[in-house]
Amino acid sequence: MEKFRSTFSYLKNDFLAGLIVFLIALPLCLGIAQASNAPLFSGIVAGVIGGVVIGFFSRSTFSVSGPAAGLVAIVVGALTDIGSFELFLCAVFLAGLFQLVLGFAKAGTFANFFPSSVIEGMLAGIGLTIIFKQLPDAVGYGSRVGMLDGERGINFDILKGITGNIHGGAVVITLVSLAILILWNRPAFRRLQKVPAGLLVVVVGTLLNILFQNFSGTMHLNKDYLVQLDVPTSAGAFFAQFSLPDFSGLKNPLVWQYGLIIAVVASIETLLCIEATDKMDPLKRNTSGNRELIAQGVGNTLSGLIGGLPITSVIVRSSANINAGAKTKLSTIIHGVLLLGCVATIPFVLNLIPKSALAAILIFTGYRLARPAIFVHMYQVGRTEFVPFVVTAVAVALPFLGLLKGVGLGMLFSVFYLLRANMRIPYYYRRIQSENEDVTRLELAQEVSFLNKGSIKKTLDHIPENSSVIIDATNSEYIDYDVLEEIREFFSVRAPNKNIEVALVGFRNDYKIPEGANVHYKMTELEQKDNVTKRAGRHHKLLKELSAGY
């Protein structure tokens, strides 16, 4: 009973947020279906299932699922190769089953390996893409490449002819809408914030266009600049839009191949979006990737059975959900219910909404994802975080890379800096010198990989003759075999030739490393004297000292 009360305790907030997400999701569902060469209604089916079914099974508070632009190229290829939409639905059905297997196999833990800099970069890249792709709708340029979603990168083709096709009415609605969205976040408007800014934008934009129709014919936006949705003439006409799969496709290897491809790509996109959505959560809750894959699997299985497109978690709608003031996952379910109810009953009302009003909402959402303060913050954190962040943001925004390839490129840079850092800190040292004694203690790092072999070998080669060295592995969890071989060779061959006393301490028994000489007392005795030189630091400092000969 407590769970029931907590779910519905923010009904007002969640209903208004669900309404805003529904208004944003509707044209995107239609646009993605159109770009996929699939029936337009299949996009609506996927949106409804993503909202209601996946919203129910998911543990994510704010994630919104639906048809995603990241799968458009795969869907187009599948429809061409498989031959019919009904056979393609078998591939979607199989993709859902594959995702269920991945979820129960706990493959969702893969999401834990995405660095925060890459996730932030992905969000910034999507934000930049959203802003760019909404420009045509914002200025009323009807003949354009569809926005689809913020996942396919910036396509400069949408700018062709934009300057000569600006509609005054669309520009006014966009500017008024942006002004509302900006002012609504100011403290002076705190008392009015009970009314969601997004809902107000839709109402004001629609009313402005009605005023333009009555008082200024040149400013009026016709149906080409409004949401466009088919109006069914009867219940039978509505249900006739659903499609059933042709299960004879289960005998076709191509169907299984595309089912697996859709499952893998959709799962990766979902895990990325879930990770990003959790970062935007004000309460910083963590969503189970395994449970999310199971929810997505249930959704895609059902989508394939009743004529829907493949579904993933979608960051554009998820971020809009958070910005609209959602409190629980009920907002996601409500958005799906509204998609179904309004498409079935009152599509003519939705067809009054100007696209420029929705464009303003998405532009503001994109700005919040890619605001300059985020770039400044990541720069202040340091180069190891800033470079992967910027690379990911730029790569995601490039049309020939897009979301998955952009994130992959950002991951490569993150791994590069990780390996570089690991290679640069193989050990810390302490060195004490007097006129007669020179004792160096090398405290190996927690992880000593083969990347550290070169710096350790160089250090040992520069240890001066007639000195003493302690190699301490007490804090090391892992030491690579190549490094151990280098230490054994130094102990057995090079050190005796240079009359160097060596103590090897803290090594695990399975490393089979001898202890060597007991030279701890030398360092202890030297520390108690006043006429000694003491130095400490990382390995590059010691290498510089040894190379200089002091």
Side-chain angles (χ1 to χ4, degrees):
M1 195 65 185
E2 180 62 31
K3 182 178 180 181
F4 177 84
R5 287 200 302 269
S6 64
T7 301
F8 288 91
S9 57
Y10 298 100
L11 180 59
K12 180 180 177 181
N13 302 77
D14 289 331
F15 177 81
L16 293 173
L19 177 60
I20 296 301
V21 176
F22 151 69
L23 293 172
I24 292 172
L26 178 62
L28 295 179
C29 290
L30 296 172
I32 291 168
Q34 181 176 345
S36 302
N37 297 330
L40 293 183
F41 195 69
S42 65
I44 299 296
V45 172
V48 172
I49 294 173
V52 178
V53 178
I54 295 180
F56 177 79
F57 285 100
S58 173
R59 294 276 177 87
S60 175
T61 306
F62 299 119
S63 172
V64 181
S65 297
L71 295 175
V72 167
I74 297 174
V75 174
V76 171
L79 287 172
T80 302
D81 294 342
I82 294 175
S84 75
F85 183 70
E86 289 72 19
L87 290 172
F88 166 73
L89 291 178
C90 286
V92 179
F93 171 76
L94 289 173
L97 295 182
F98 286 137
Q99 285 186 302
L100 286 172
V101 172
L102 290 173
F104 285 115
K106 300 190 182 303
T109 53
F110 177 69
N112 297 327
F113 296 97
F114 294 117
S116 60
S117 59
V118 173
I119 298 299
E120 294 284 0
M122 180 190 76
L123 290 174
I126 290 175
L128 293 172
T129 305
I130 293 172
I131 294 172
F132 188 87
K133 289 192 173 183
Q134 287 305 299
L135 292 178
D137 271 340
V139 301
Y141 179 30
S143 300
R144 62 166 181 106
V145 178
M147 186 272 180
L148 301 182
D149 219 324
E151 300 166 2
R152 295 186 67 191
I154 293 173
N155 184 354
F156 288 96
D157 288 341
I158 68 176
L159 294 182
K160 293 179 179 178
I162 194 172
T163 55
N165 293 275
I166 296 176
H167 195 294
V171 172
V172 170
I173 291 175
T174 298
L175 293 177
V176 171
S177 300
L178 287 174
I180 292 172
L181 292 167
I182 294 171
L183 293 174
W184 230 240
N185 288 298
R186 302 294 182 183
F189 289 81
R190 187 169 298 161
R191 292 185 178 180
L192 301 176
Q193 290 174 0
K194 292 182 179 180
V195 179
L199 177 60
L200 185 62
V201 162
V202 170
V203 173
V204 170
T206 304
L207 292 177
L208 277 175
N209 193 44
I210 294 174
L211 288 175
F212 293 156
Q213 182 179 10
N214 293 327
F215 298 102
S216 176
T218 58
M219 298 283 283
H220 175 246
L221 300 174
N222 61 35
K223 65 177 184 179
D224 292 333
Y225 303 93
L226 308 177
V227 171
Q228 297 182 36
L229 192 63
D230 291 335
V231 181
T233 56
S234 65
F238 172 73
F239 287 107
Q241 298 177 90
F242 290 90
S243 301
L244 298 176
D246 181 356
F247 283 109
S248 65
L250 295 178
K251 302 176 183 178
N252 187 342
L254 273 177
V255 170
W256 287 83
Q257 176 183 325
Y258 274 106
L260 182 59
I261 292 173
I262 291 171
V264 172
V265 176
S267 297
I268 294 175
E269 286 207 19
T270 290
L271 294 175
L272 283 168
C273 293
I274 285 294
E275 191 77 8
T277 302
D278 286 348
K279 282 193 170 295
M280 292 186 289
D281 183 354
L283 299 181
K284 303 301 179 186
R285 286 163 287 199
N286 293 318
T287 301
S288 168
N290 299 321
R291 178 59 182 256
E292 188 62 30
L293 288 182
I294 293 173
Q296 296 287 329
V298 172
N300 275 310
T301 301
L302 181 59
S303 187
L305 287 175
I306 63 174
L309 291 175
I311 302 169
T312 75
S313 176
V314 189
I315 191 61
V316 177
R317 280 161 258 185
S318 301
S319 58
N321 189 32
I322 295 172
N323 292 334
K327 298 297 182 182
T328 73
K329 69 177 182 177
L330 185 61
S331 63
T332 302
I333 298 174
I334 288 173
H335 121 273
V337 172
L338 289 174
L339 273 175
L340 178 61
C342 293
V343 168
T345 58
I346 54 170
F348 56 90
V349 175
L350 303 177
N351 290 347
L352 297 175
I353 301 172
K355 293 179 181 178
S356 53
L358 298 178
I361 295 174
L362 285 170
I363 287 173
F364 188 71
T365 298
Y367 171 78
R368 296 189 63 163
L369 291 175
R371 60 189 184 275
I374 296 176
F375 286 80
V376 173
H377 169 71
M378 296 303 295
Y379 178 78
Q380 292 173 341
V381 170
R383 182 173 56 184
T384 58
E385 298 295 318
F386 181 69
V387 173
F389 164 77
V390 171
V391 168
T392 305
V394 173
V396 166
L398 292 175
F400 55 87
L401 290 176
L403 181 65
L404 291 183
K405 292 180 181 177
V407 169
L409 188 59
M411 287 289 291
L412 287 178
F413 274 82
S414 291
V415 170
F416 166 76
Y417 278 108
L418 173 66
L419 296 177
R420 185 168 177 262
N422 185 269
M423 185 169 57
R424 293 176 62 184
I425 313 176
Y427 62 80
Y428 294 86
Y429 84 93
R430 293 177 61 204
R431 191 181 187 192
I432 301 178
Q433 289 177 288
S434 66
E435 293 182 1
N436 300 318
E437 296 288 348
D438 183 347
V439 183
T440 302
R441 183 185 192 91
L442 307 180
E443 298 179 2
L444 298 182
Q446 186 176 18
E447 301 286 339
V448 186
S449 72
F450 69 92
L451 297 171
N452 304 130
K453 177 182 176 181
S455 56
I456 290 177
K457 182 177 186 299
K458 188 175 181 181
T459 300
L460 297 178
D461 285 342
H462 282 77
I463 297 293
E465 295 181 356
N466 304 314
S467 63
S468 302
V469 61
I470 304 168
I471 303 178
D472 188 351
T474 303
N475 298 321
S476 298
E477 296 292 335
Y478 168 78
I479 303 177
D480 187 79
Y481 174 81
D482 289 344
V483 175
L484 292 172
E485 282 294 292
E486 190 63 38
I487 292 173
R488 291 191 190 98
E489 183 183 347
F490 173 76
F491 175 81
S492 303
V493 181
R494 301 203 302 272
N497 291 339
K498 298 172 67 175
N499 194 30
I500 298 173
E501 287 186 287
V502 182
L504 305 176
V505 298
F507 289 86
R508 298 205 309 254
N509 292 334
D510 55 316
Y511 287 154
K512 298 180 180 179
I513 297 288
E515 291 187 3
N518 183 11
V519 297
H520 290 274
Y521 71 92
K522 290 187 178 181
M523 179 163 278
T524 303
E525 289 180 351
L526 286 174
E527 284 178 330
Q528 296 173 353
K529 296 180 179 179
D530 296 328
N531 58 337
V532 296
T533 302
K534 301 178 182 179
R535 304 183 192 89
R538 294 181 178 180
H539 82 284
H540 58 82
K541 184 178 178 182
L542 177 59
L543 282 173
K544 185 177 180 180
E545 291 179 11
L546 296 174
S547 299
Y550 62 88

